[in-house]
Amino acid sequence: MRIGIDIGGTHTDGVLIDGTRLVAAAKTPTNHDHLLESISQILHLILAGQDPTGISTLNLSTTLTTNAIITGTTDPVGMLVVGGPGIAPENYRIGNHFNLIPGSLDHLGTETARLDTDRLEQVITGCCDQGVKHFAVVAKFSPRNPIHENQMAEQLGNRADFVSTGHLISGQLNFGRRIHTAYYNSAVARSFRNFSTALTASLRGFALKAEVNILKADGGTMPLARALEAPVQSIFSGPAASVMGILATTPVSADVLMLDIGGTTTDIALFAAGQPLLEREGIAIDGHPTLVRAIHVESIGIGGDSLIYINDSNVQTGPQRLGPCLAKGGTAPTLMDALNVLGLANFGEVGQSRDGLETLAALHGRKGRQLAKEAVETAVNTISTKIEELIALVNSKPVYTIAEILEDREINPKKIIVIGGPAAVFKELLASRLGMEVKVPPLHGVANAIGAALTRSTSHLILTADTTKGKLSVPMLGIFRPIPRSFNLETAVEEAKTLLIADLEQAGISIPASEIQITQADTFNMVEGSYTSGKNIRVVAQVQPAVVARLDENAALVAIAARL
Amino acid sequence: MLKAKSSLGVIFFPAYDWAISPTHPEREERLLYTQDQFREEGLFDIEGISEHRPLFATDQDIMRAHFCFPSVDAICTESHRISAGGAIQAARLVLEQETRRAFALVRPPGHHAMKVVHGNRGFCNINIEAVMVEWIREHYGRKRIAIVDTDCHHGDGTQDIYWHDPDVLFISIHQDGRTLYPGSGFPEENGGPKALGRTINIPLPPRTSDQGYLYALEEVVLPILAAFKPDLVINSAGQDNHYSDPITNMKFSAQGYAQLNERLKPDIAVLEGGYSIKGALPYVNLGICLAMAGCDYSAVREPDFDPVALREEPDTMEYIKQLCGQLTDNYFRPKPGAFEKQGEYFIRERKIYYDTDGILEKQREELKDCDQCRGLRLIKSSSSHLLPCLGVELPIDCCPACEREAYEQFNRKNDDYLVVQLLDQKNKQFRYRPKR
């Protein structure tokens, strides 16, 4: 059996799943000061009457790192950054201990200026004097050659409690993002370690011996031990849990849109041929772009609690939110009230919705029903426009080969799956506005926890080989080793698969080779003068997000145990 | 975070699956390291710098700029259509005001492709700037356009296409034709009889570095542009003038190129040549992008950049000053050319060699000396591989008499031309004579 827990901004949801059957589901308010308490409450609810020894896996999606960053309860990080020529690294300054160390590498990984170890020593001493214990070492082009990052980590030695090393975090080229990613990784490391220790103790209390995995924003999981090294990967996993919840409850094989309509926001995601689309490079944290892989989720400020107001005789819905709707005792009319007035919903005290909208409408010489109609139209239009923009964006993404230009298949979703509180209410409205089939799957109340429970591990690696230099690089695994001149694309692809499988095995995850996807496999003739001097090979291998099982749709729904 | 002062759209299309041949300079690897540099620098994370995919140039798009013999398909493959489509996308972004400026970083290049094309010359099949310029005029009306070609080689193709067009100012800054392919681009090449002064050539001596290039820009290019007052400035941004380029002899640097673009302020830049793919392109392209976007580029430099070795030699600088002193006259006071005339037609007879494809073209151009319009143009062209073909061109301001004569030529039933193509800028008709 598997447990899935999604700690959200408002609620913490949990499910217990046996194969394809939902055994128990629960919901409780999130206690942001004591996340563990919310987890315990959920475990109490879903484990009632169950044998905890039969549970093999516990997958957890947590807001811990997000909260630490938002509330500023992170640790100071000594940033040791090697830039060199190009865009000034000063543009990526982050935190209070951002230090530039002279040295440089070029795009082939050739050292063009040695690392200034004297300056490095001064900087480290300065940080230590200020009590800095967490560090991040990042050099421009480190995925091509880790020498400077490794030198810095070595020189830190045991003066650091935690070090994030740029090339181990991502093999992707993007210096600024690598700096930010490494910073946040070190900044949240202590909070995450403390949480992990407490969680492990708590699970022991429940007699749970399950393996614990942490959800990532890319819709996959990582083992807790890996999360301790890369806690930044646990950020913003909530929307990913919802997306995976759809995959776990509804068969998706075509191009499909997903909408998660909540109280404050609506999240939009896109599936291409059944696969959730990822961000091109990574998500932004607190306005800083990073290399954290994530499902591409567009969020807009439209939800059930979105405020309705009239601005220059135009009816507006959201993005402000003012507590609950009138029907639930709120003070100002919201989208939910408008839906009540139109008879599309029957939520709480419908009479209060009607009175409130009538009052607001009267102030502007209108009728309540007309106001409600316009408010709902505005909301549906805003959502629809965003959907159209997202589809256009995805279809205009850059491509780099003639074959892709000629053969590129346009993503053209004909179906929307809507989840979240007001999902059912929006079904017809969206169907008629977008001309797409709209489906509201069952179990939508805890789809996110189901997604968490059933999603599997994801991983990826970037391999580059330069046979002129006779060098193979797999930065994320810290592999930089010589290769023979005969090394070719075929060997590179095999090597990438083997290394990815081996790395997952080391983390206790077994994935068959057939599940490894090669998303890039290119080889370029390198020419010196007019002779071919070697090959430049680039391979990206990944285990894409997927669910281990799909819930049996015909199985009876269980009641959601709630402690609200 | 970094922010662009003027927004820039970059059409980055490296054509990773296309090469002239596996070891040819124009091969798959050419923009690989530029992309690595862009990615590592996070160029597209800069607010206001965006990446776009190319459009696809249709037969009509190409036939507005060229006489393709025997057919468009025989001349260009998909790669050429996409490269030209990249330039079109750049123009679209700017003219639709989606971005303030645009840079088509595409390959293969095009500036050696002339009005008539039989095959590949100097790595070029179709002239992607010209296809773009004609696309602009088709969709946005008649415009004054300045093309400043900074590729190390003379932009002989673009010069040829706009030789008779007074609406297009073509300025080429290149390594002296006495020392480099294609061996043309001398100051006396100054435009056709109806467009005198609209072609300006600045042949710089070998080993010219940043100082010399920027001197020519300040003393010749910018004053002429100020007088011409173009609606659009286009930079044919070849990068083979770099000090590390394997097939040329200049000493231009990434810093120099960035400064040139900062001062030239092109609305659109289009990549042309440039084959120092590891040592130059990553830095030059980064410098151009940052300069066009109004971002700080002061720290962009090549790892082996040596300001002392790249300093302008006094002799070279003296030569450049002498040369530039006379060149503005070519725009402001062009000398009346010695154009050959037969009856009421100006005649040009030429042989053109297509080095890449080994084709020798024989061409006779007849331009009517009309006092009502720029005059109808007939180009009779045959090659070592092809029987005589005819191109009939009507200028945008074509008068009724020239129009009538042109259509008579195009519609004739019993001439011996293998292929006849109509390029009617006035009525926007671009087609081949139906085969009998």
Side-chain angles (χ1 to χ4, degrees):
Chain A
M1 286 192 291
R2 301 169 78 95
I3 291 175
I5 298 177
D6 176 42
I7 304 178
T10 318
H11 292 121
T12 296
D13 298 346
V15 293
L16 177 65
I17 292 171
D18 188 3
T20 61
R21 192 170 61 87
L22 181 65
V23 178
K27 204 182 242 320
T28 186
T30 298
N31 181 342
H32 286 289
D33 297 325
H34 298 283
L35 292 182
L36 216 53
E37 196 176 289
S38 308
I39 296 174
S40 295
Q41 283 181 0
I42 287 293
L43 287 175
H44 273 297
L45 291 168
I46 59 173
L47 287 177
Q50 301 291 339
D51 172 15
T53 57
I55 292 158
S56 62
T57 307
L58 186 154
N59 288 348
L60 177 66
S61 162
T62 166
T63 53
L64 182 90
T65 47
T66 316
N67 274 342
I69 290 163
I70 290 170
T71 57
T73 52
T74 53
D75 281 290
V77 181
M79 294 300 298
L80 309 179
V81 176
V82 181
I87 292 175
E90 192 54 41
N91 290 299
Y92 310 120
R93 173 174 284 277
I94 189 164
N96 297 325
H97 306 274
F98 188 87
N99 303 284
L100 297 177
I101 316 292
S104 72
L105 303 166
D106 74 3
H107 56 84
L108 295 167
T110 310
E111 187 181 51
T112 51
R114 291 168 67 103
L115 184 72
D116 184 342
T117 48
D118 294 340
R119 175 71 193 139
L120 176 63
E121 190 53 37
Q122 279 174 7
V123 165
I124 294 174
T125 313
C127 285
C128 291
D129 289 348
Q130 293 176 65
V132 174
K133 286 293 195 188
H134 286 201
F135 287 84
V137 294
V138 185
K140 193 181 267 187
F141 284 114
S142 65
R144 294 284 182 265
N145 182 352
I147 179 168
H148 291 162
E149 287 180 357
N150 288 345
Q151 278 178 326
M152 290 192 286
E154 205 170 296
Q155 199 160 324
L156 274 167
N158 56 17
R159 289 181 282 183
D161 284 354
F162 188 91
V163 181
S164 297
T165 308
H167 68 274
L168 295 175
I169 284 178
S170 172
Q172 205 173 312
L173 292 177
N174 193 315
F175 184 47
R177 287 177 181 259
R178 199 176 316 119
I179 289 173
H180 297 149
T181 315
Y183 167 81
Y184 284 116
N185 199 53
S186 291
V188 299
R190 191 189 313 273
S191 318
F192 196 87
R193 177 168 295 276
N194 292 345
F195 170 77
S196 163
T197 309
L199 175 70
T200 310
S202 164
L203 296 182
R204 223 175 284 128
F206 281 94
L208 277 170
K209 293 207 174 71
E211 58 168 58
V212 178
N213 298 303
I214 302 296
L215 242 79
K216 302 185 293 178
D218 72 353
T221 64
M222 57 182 164
L224 186 58
R226 284 278 166 102
L228 288 168
E229 296 162 25
V232 71
Q233 303 290 351
S234 72
I235 203 158
F236 299 138
S237 56
S242 298
V243 170
M244 297 315 288
I246 294 225
L247 279 180
T249 50
T250 316
V252 178
S253 57
D255 297 343
V256 170
L257 279 155
M258 183 212 83
L259 246 61
D260 184 353
I261 307 178
T264 318
T265 58
T266 294
D267 290 344
I268 307 167
L270 188 51
F271 293 74
Q275 277 300 312
L277 285 178
L278 298 184
E279 290 272 358
R280 275 192 85 199
E281 298 199 76
I283 37 164
I285 301 175
D286 203 17
H288 295 102
T290 73
L291 289 170
V292 175
R293 278 161 70 97
I295 293 180
H296 185 122
V297 176
E298 293 276 343
S299 206
I300 46 170
I302 298 275
D305 294 340
S306 290
L307 182 69
I308 295 174
Y309 59 103
I310 297 174
N311 190 3
D312 293 340
S313 82
N314 289 321
V315 177
Q316 308 278 330
T317 308
Q320 296 96 318
R321 169 212 164 129
L322 251 196
C325 54
L326 295 171
K328 279 283 182 186
T331 54
T334 73
L335 182 56
M336 207 61 210
D337 292 311
L339 293 164
N340 267 345
V341 168
L342 295 178
L344 293 167
N346 189 3
F347 186 72
E349 297 291 328
V350 175
Q352 289 183 18
S353 297
R354 214 174 282 133
D355 294 348
L357 257 85
E358 211 58 73
T359 311
L360 177 63
L363 284 174
H364 297 268
R366 298 173 186 233
K367 292 276 176 229
R369 203 180 154 77
Q370 182 60 29
L371 173 62
K373 196 165 166 263
E374 284 180 41
V376 172
E377 265 171 23
T378 306
V380 172
N381 265 333
T382 309
I383 294 173
S384 305
T385 307
K386 195 75 187 178
I387 287 174
E388 285 153 3
E389 283 171 8
L390 175 63
I391 296 170
L393 177 81
V394 167
N395 281 325
S396 62
K397 76 168 191 336
V399 292
Y400 304 115
T401 59
I402 291 160
E404 284 173 288
I405 295 253
L406 298 179
E407 294 154 19
D408 207 26
R409 183 183 72 87
E410 192 156 287
I411 298 201
N412 184 14
K414 294 275 180 234
K415 187 170 156 186
I416 313 181
I417 298 169
V418 190
I419 61 168
V425 177
F426 278 93
K427 191 175 169 178
E428 291 309 318
L429 294 169
L430 287 166
S432 64
R433 167 65 172 77
L434 288 163
M436 296 187 201
E437 181 197 342
V438 179
K439 197 176 169 197
V440 178
L443 310 166
H444 57 254
V446 286
N448 44 352
I450 293 169
L454 293 178
T455 195
R456 71 171 184 195
S457 286
T458 52
S459 189
H460 79 287
L461 66 76
I462 298 174
L463 176 152
T464 57
D466 177 339
T467 65
T468 303
K469 286 194 165 193
K471 205 177 78 178
L472 171 81
S473 314
V474 188
M476 298 173 75
L477 302 181
I479 294 173
F480 296 86
R481 62 170 159 80
I483 41 163
R485 280 193 59 85
S486 59
F487 196 85
N488 61 24
L489 185 61
E490 208 179 323
T491 0
V493 167
E494 281 316 305
E495 188 72 16
K497 286 184 180 171
T498 310
L499 289 172
L500 189 54
I501 291 170
D503 180 58
L504 285 164
E505 258 167 22
Q506 204 180 32
I509 302 154
S510 119
I511 296 245
S514 57
E515 291 288 307
I516 307 270
Q517 225 185 9
I518 299 296
T519 56
Q520 187 194 351
D522 292 323
T523 177
F524 297 91
N525 256 347
M526 300 176 80
V527 177
E528 304 288 346
S530 49
Y531 297 97
T532 302
S533 60
K535 286 187 171 16
N536 195 310
I537 299 169
R538 281 121 194 256
V539 176
V540 178
Q542 71 166 13
V543 179
Q544 65 186 20
V547 287
V548 294
R550 184 158 291 131
L551 276 199
D552 188 349
E553 275 192 84
N554 300 319
L557 299 188
V558 298
I560 299 174
R563 190 175 287 173
L564 297 173
Chain B
M1 286 305 292
L2 271 163
K3 211 174 155 176
K5 285 201 189 77
S6 49
S7 58
L8 173 71
V10 180
I11 298 88
F12 181 79
F13 189 73
Y16 283 148
D17 49 356
W18 185 84
I20 289 181
S21 74
T23 56
H24 194 282
E26 198 48 71
R27 64 179 181 275
E28 298 90 339
E29 186 195 4
R30 188 171 163 223
L31 291 174
L32 183 64
Y33 311 107
T34 293
Q35 186 174 42
D36 283 354
Q37 193 76 32
F38 280 7
R39 285 193 166 151
E40 182 65 353
E41 300 281 2
L43 186 73
F44 299 115
D45 283 335
I46 296 175
E47 194 182 331
I49 301 186
S50 48
E51 190 181 2
H52 305 264
R53 66 162 76 178
L55 299 172
F56 190 83
T58 62
D59 283 5
Q60 283 290 297
D61 291 333
I62 294 159
M63 289 165 73
R64 270 184 227 120
H66 287 295
F67 291 118
C68 294
F69 296 136
S71 67
V72 176
D73 274 338
I75 298 300
C76 49
T77 64
E78 271 97 5
S79 67
H80 305 109
R81 293 174 185 270
I82 294 169
S83 181
I88 292 175
Q89 176 71 292
R92 194 195 65 78
L93 287 170
V94 171
L95 286 144
E96 291 297 322
Q97 298 181 4
E98 287 181 29
T99 61
R100 170 64 192 82
R101 297 196 171 124
F103 184 12
L105 240 172
V106 297
R107 54 177 287 267
H111 77 148
H112 294 306
M114 298 188 167
K115 187 82 188 181
V116 173
V117 270
H118 287 265
N120 187 303
R121 277 190 82 237
F123 315 170
C124 305
N125 287 50
I126 53 168
N127 193 305
I128 60 178
E129 279 95 348
V131 170
M132 171 179 83
V133 164
E134 298 316 320
W135 184 88
I136 291 171
R137 300 202 282 197
E138 173 85 6
H139 290 87
Y140 302 92
R142 203 166 156 180
K143 292 218 178 293
R144 289 169 76 79
I145 292 175
I147 302 175
V148 179
D149 187 326
T150 46
D151 189 280
C152 200
H153 301 89
H154 175 228
D156 56 347
T158 317
Q159 170 171 307
D160 179 67
I161 292 173
Y162 294 108
W163 186 250
H164 297 298
D165 189 340
D167 289 342
V168 176
L169 169 66
F170 176 71
I171 305 177
S172 182
I173 313 177
H174 48 264
Q175 183 177 327
D176 195 312
R178 287 170 293 191
T179 62
L180 189 68
Y181 178 90
S184 55
F186 300 103
E188 313 78 82
E189 297 163 35
N190 203 192
K194 297 298 174 82
L196 209 55
R198 293 293 196 257
T199 294
I200 305 290
N201 280 297
I202 311 176
L204 296 174
R207 292 186 302 283
T208 300
S209 69
D210 294 1
Q211 198 193 344
Y213 265 98
L214 296 172
Y215 184 88
L217 179 79
E218 290 291 342
E219 298 300 317
V220 183
V221 179
L222 295 183
I224 293 175
L225 284 182
F228 181 68
K229 295 192 180 61
D231 299 312
L232 280 171
V233 176
I234 295 158
N235 180 200
S236 282
Q239 300 169 11
D240 36 12
N241 42 23
H242 192 262
Y243 65 81
S244 64
D245 197 90
I247 59 178
T248 64
N249 314 92
M250 300 302 242
K251 296 201 297 184
F252 208 28
S253 74
Q255 268 300 312
Y257 223 130
Q259 284 177 40
L260 182 142
N261 269 279
E262 187 180 29
R263 298 186 206 178
L264 181 63
K265 299 185 179 62
D267 300 286
I268 300 165
V270 179
L271 176 69
E272 283 292 342
Y275 302 96
S276 172
I277 63 175
K278 296 187 192 107
L281 266 61
Y283 310 103
V284 175
N285 282 316
L286 179 64
I288 293 176
C289 286
L290 292 177
M292 286 183 81
C295 293
D296 175 25
Y297 59 80
S298 58
V300 175
R301 76 181 130 73
E302 305 81 347
D304 60 355
F305 179 77
D306 178 353
V308 178
L310 295 175
R311 196 182 295 145
E312 201 73 86
E313 287 153 33
D315 290 359
T316 312
M317 198 59 217
E318 198 44 48
Y319 177 92
I320 293 169
K321 282 181 178 167
Q322 290 252 331
L323 171 80
C324 290
Q326 306 153 15
L327 286 178
T328 44
D329 279 356
N330 285 358
Y331 178 82
F332 293 103
R333 285 171 289 278
K335 292 194 192 83
F339 301 108
E340 190 193 337
K341 220 171 156 187
Q342 292 177 10
E344 50 184 346
Y345 285 90
F346 293 106
I347 304 294
R348 266 203 304 177
E349 284 187 330
R350 295 183 293 166
K351 282 183 180 159
I352 297 160
Y353 185 60
Y354 292 68
D355 56 314
T356 319
D357 285 347
I359 296 169
L360 183 65
E361 180 198 354
K362 226 176 108 186
Q363 195 187 98
R364 178 184 165 91
E365 176 194 88
E366 300 171 358
L367 176 74
K368 191 168 185 183
D369 186 11
C370 176
D371 53 9
Q372 302 298 309
C373 69
R374 287 177 205 166
L376 118 90
R377 174 153 68 142
L378 301 171
I379 304 180
K380 297 164 183 174
S381 166
S382 60
S383 84
S384 46
H385 296 58
L386 206 63
L387 292 169
C389 299
L390 174 68
V392 180
E393 184 181 50
L394 289 74
I396 190 147
D397 64 344
C398 193
C399 70
C402 283
E403 184 173 343
R404 217 168 21 248
E405 191 180 335
Y407 274 89
E408 272 167 24
Q409 289 283 351
F410 180 66
N411 291 324
R412 262 164 58 177
K413 291 209 158 46
N414 43 5
D415 57 24
D416 292 330
Y417 294 111
L418 178 70
V419 176
V420 181
Q421 187 190 333
L422 176 72
L423 202 159
D424 177 355
Q425 292 178 341
K426 186 187 180 197
N427 305 298
K428 301 197 185 303
Q429 294 295 313
F430 311 97
R431 58 177 192 264
Y432 288 98
R433 178 195 286 174
K435 292 252 162 41
R436 278 189 294 273

